[in-house]
Amino acid sequence: MEDLIMTYEDEDGSVRLLPGYIFDPTDEVLVDFYLKRRAFAQPLPIQIIPDFDVFLIEPWDLPGDEKIFNEQKYFFYNTMGRDLENLDMVVVGSGQWRVMEKDKNIPISQHNEVIGKRNTLNFWEVEGECARRTKWVMHEFRLVLISDPSKMINWALYRIFQNKDHQIGRRM
């Protein structure tokens, strides 16, 4: 059977999904299939998730076209050398990513054993002493070692999107 090709390379060299395909994986699929393969240097069937440090620039300036990913952006990042285990806030440009939910377990549905953790962060714009919560949300996925679930593997996968239902708030 032939391999099904679901992507093509655009004029600018970026990989795009063919019309009609939507990349909208579950948390379990992101961790157990994509992140696990990336962390252990196994080939992925299609290269649609690039490597990029999401903490370099504000979320609205991140590369990629979220329209082909169901209004979401996905990135891999090697966290070696960066302490993300105690991540509560990361300053980025004119704002900061703040943790809203930490270490939610991601189990494999067949075995009910934890394979990963998910942190949820929101982006806050900061001006002087005032901070305003934006609609930008980041899910950070990390693999755990099955032998020692308190330890995480160095690679992370990020899903970044705008929460359309969220009320924007201010905090002094």
Side-chain angles (χ1 to χ4, degrees):
M1 186 171 156
E2 285 184 45
D3 288 337
L4 179 63
I5 299 174
M6 298 181 294
T7 61
Y8 68 97
E9 199 167 302
D10 205 356
E11 296 165 356
D12 65 357
S14 59
V15 175
R16 299 207 182 272
L17 290 173
L18 291 174
Y21 286 94
I22 295 175
F23 185 76
D24 195 16
T26 64
D27 291 358
E28 179 183 347
V29 169
L30 282 173
V31 173
D32 193 36
F33 184 79
Y34 289 94
L35 184 55
K36 187 190 289 184
R37 284 177 179 256
R38 183 66 178 99
F40 295 110
Q42 297 174 339
L44 289 163
I46 52 177
Q47 299 295 326
I48 60 174
I49 303 176
D51 291 352
F52 189 78
D53 183 352
V54 298
F55 297 112
L56 289 178
I57 56 178
E58 288 96 346
W60 49 84
D61 288 332
L62 287 167
D65 183 0
E66 68 271 8
K67 291 177 185 147
I68 65 171
F69 297 117
N70 199 22
E71 298 187 6
Q72 300 175 58
K73 295 182 180 190
Y74 297 86
F75 303 98
F76 289 120
Y77 179 64
N78 187 341
T79 62
M80 186 177 283
R82 178 177 274 181
D83 180 22
L84 296 180
E85 295 295 324
N86 299 316
L87 177 73
D88 287 324
M89 180 186 68
V90 178
V91 175
V92 178
S94 65
Q96 46 195 224
W97 286 105
R98 295 183 187 177
V99 172
M100 304 307 285
E101 178 183 39
K102 195 167 189 167
D103 291 338
K104 178 182 177 192
N105 289 337
I106 300 172
I108 296 179
S109 54
Q110 297 116 344
H111 308 292
N112 204 27
E113 77 179 314
V114 174
I115 58 164
K117 303 271 187 184
R118 184 183 85 187
N119 293 328
T120 300
L121 297 91
N122 286 102
F123 191 77
W124 291 69
E125 287 185 299
V126 177
E127 190 173 316
E129 297 203 17
C130 293
R132 184 179 64 85
R133 185 172 165 182
T134 69
K135 293 182 177 187
W136 288 96
V137 177
M138 173 192 296
H139 289 160
E140 175 193 55
F141 298 95
R142 304 283 304 279
L143 280 171
V144 297
L145 292 174
I146 302 299
S147 60
D148 185 357
S150 68
K151 297 198 177 179
M152 306 246 190
I153 294 174
N154 287 335
W155 280 93
L157 191 151
Y158 297 91
R159 173 174 51 206
I160 300 169
F161 57 96
Q162 289 189 60
N163 185 351
K164 293 179 173 60
D165 299 329
H166 177 71
Q167 298 293 321
I168 296 175
R170 285 197 174 275
R171 193 169 111 191
M172 301 297 229

